[in-house]
Amino acid sequence: MRVINAITDWLLYTSMFAALCAVSLCMATEKLILTGLPKLLTPLHCFIVGCTMMVYNGHFLIKKTPL
């Protein structure tokens, strides 16, 4: 049970959840436009995940340390 709670907490409280939601919304829009199921892994989806992760985690890379 602890493993399931740890996985659920990691998924819901990290930026990975936001990235998965962004890709899901992109795929839903593609399904509406293309009137069919989109491919699961395309360069567009990788770009969306990468950009979302960068937006939510980029501040760790450029964080200034106090003097």
Side-chain angles (χ1 to χ4, degrees):
M1 190 66 178
R2 288 184 182 181
V3 174
I4 294 172
N5 286 340
I7 292 171
T8 305
D9 287 345
W10 176 81
L11 182 63
L12 292 178
Y13 299 119
T14 60
S15 56
M16 184 58 75
F17 182 70
L20 290 174
C21 288
V23 170
S24 298
L25 289 171
C26 176
M27 291 180 74
T29 304
E30 289 176 10
K31 184 179 178 185
L32 287 173
I33 293 172
L34 300 175
T35 63
L37 292 175
K39 292 183 181 178
L40 185 59
L41 186 63
T42 63
L44 175 64
H45 299 147
C46 295
F47 179 73
I48 291 171
V49 169
C51 288
T52 305
M53 297 297 279
M54 186 63 197
V55 165
Y56 282 98
N57 296 320
H59 64 281
F60 290 118
L61 296 174
I62 58 173
K63 182 169 66 171
K64 293 182 181 179
T65 57
L67 295 176

